[in-house]
């Protein structure tokens, strides 16, 4: 059973270089959620295959971005000049593979 | 969110956090009769997120899972083992569970 994922809005500020001569802010979406995970004693087959090192098994899902969308952010360079830049925002989220949970 | 407590009186459909939870499994070993064991394991829902960033790989992720923080090893004697088979079976019992990374040194980390 999963808790429905939600997307969370946050502000990003983009600077064109270290001096920040061109700058702009935009609201983009992230994915935040609570997906089910558990850990329990490993089966004998897992124990054998790992030379009795993996005594526990963890089965998990994490909140992930499934679709991204490109958006254009307008950057202001001083009083008159304008530039634009493309960046991504999360479009849809779901509980899926925890790509970065291992250590 | 509750941590390291048994969620016996909470609604499991809406529970958020990582807790010790009763778990029953069949302890099997070649040459012995399997034995049903009830122990404490970990279960829950941890906060995880992904956000788009400007630089490759373009997604920053915070993936933490409900796993063992502290365990105690329990050894039982399996019934009706063959004469040449070691009858003892050792398994972990959860003392504390937490949302954290899955340690590949001690854990088979599965995700789907």
């Amino acid at each position: 059973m999963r808790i429905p994922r939600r997307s969370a809005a946050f502000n990003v500020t983009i600077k064109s270089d270290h001096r920040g001569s061109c700058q702009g802010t935009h609201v983009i979406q992230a994915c935040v959620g609570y997906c089910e995970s558990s850990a329990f004693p490993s089966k004998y087959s897992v124990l054998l295959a790992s030379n009795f090192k993996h005594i526990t098994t963890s089965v998990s899902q994490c909140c992930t971005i499934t679709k991204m969308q490109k958006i254009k952010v307008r950057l202001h360079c001083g009083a008159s000049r304008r530039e634009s830049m493309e960046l991504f925002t999360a479009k849809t989220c779901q509980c899926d593979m925890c790509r970065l949970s291992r250590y | 969110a509750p941590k390291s407590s048994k969620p016996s009186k909470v609604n499991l459909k809406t529970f958020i956090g990582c807790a010790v939870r009763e778990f029953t499994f069949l302890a099997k070993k070649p040459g012995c009769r399997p034995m049903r064991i009830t122990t404490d394991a970990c279960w829950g829902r941890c906060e995880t997120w992904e956000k788009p960033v400007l630089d490759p790989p373009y997604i920053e992720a915070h993936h933490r899972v409900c796993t063992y923080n502290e365990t105690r090893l329990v050894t039982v004697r399996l019934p009706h083992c063959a004469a040449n088979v070691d009858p003892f079976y050792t398994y972990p019992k959860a003392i504390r569970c937490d949302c954290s990374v899955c340690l590949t040194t001690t854990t088979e980390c599965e995700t789907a």
Side-chain angles (χ1 to χ4, degrees):
Chain A
M1 185 70 199
R2 301 164 177 174
I3 301 284
R5 286 74 53 196
R6 64 186 160 88
S7 59
F10 66 99
N11 257 319
V12 282
T13 300
I14 296 128
K15 291 176 181 175
S16 62
D17 54 36
H18 291 299
R19 293 205 329 245
S21 49
C22 296
Q23 194 167 311
T25 58
H26 206 279
V27 174
I28 64 169
Q29 300 287 325
C31 292
V32 185
Y34 300 88
C35 306
E36 209 170 298
S37 55
S38 60
F40 43 84
S42 293
K43 286 185 202 165
Y44 192 72
S45 57
V46 172
L47 293 175
L48 267 187
S50 68
N51 201 18
F52 291 85
K53 282 183 180 148
H54 293 174
I55 58 165
T56 59
T57 295
S58 156
V59 177
S60 58
Q61 284 200 317
C62 291
C63 185
T64 63
I65 297 175
T66 43
K67 261 190 201 163
M68 299 226 281
Q69 190 181 34
K70 257 186 194 168
I71 50 165
K72 215 170 231 180
V73 179
R74 200 174 286 174
L75 305 178
H76 299 270
C77 317
S80 55
R81 201 162 61 89
R82 294 217 166 108
E83 277 182 17
S84 68
M85 193 178 171
E86 283 187 329
L87 59 124
F88 288 105
T89 186
K91 186 92 171 132
T92 55
C93 314
Q94 78 173 36
C95 289
D96 207 337
M97 193 186 270
C98 303
R99 293 176 297 109
L100 298 168
S101 65
R102 296 172 193 200
Y103 184 75
Chain B
K3 271 187 179 177
S4 303
S5 58
K6 294 191 183 187
S8 53
K9 285 177 188 167
V10 299
N11 184 349
L12 295 180
K13 286 182 181 177
T14 55
F15 175 78
I16 284 175
C18 175
V20 173
R21 188 180 175 187
E22 203 172 86
F23 177 80
T24 301
F25 70 104
L26 205 57
K28 279 190 199 170
K29 192 175 181 177
C32 297
R33 189 178 288 179
M35 187 165 97
R36 194 166 290 277
I37 292 173
T38 296
T39 184
D40 285 335
C42 302
W43 180 85
R45 293 185 187 90
C46 298
E47 185 182 272
T48 50
W49 54 257
E50 281 191 355
K51 69 173 181 184
V53 288
L54 284 172
D55 300 315
Y58 303 111
I59 290 177
E60 188 183 324
H62 177 82
H63 288 169
R64 295 290 179 268
V65 298
C66 182
T67 192
Y68 294 86
N69 177 289
E70 190 184 343
T71 56
R72 188 165 60 81
L73 290 177
V74 180
T75 301
V76 291
R77 190 188 188 106
L78 295 182
H80 307 287
C81 293
N84 57 340
V85 173
D86 171 19
F88 295 105
Y89 190 97
T90 301
Y91 62 91
K93 178 188 163 91
I95 306 296
R96 281 195 304 139
C97 301
D98 258 333
C99 292
S100 69
V101 289
C102 186
L103 294 174
T104 52
T105 46
T106 57
T107 306
E108 184 79 8
C109 303
E110 293 177 10
T111 179

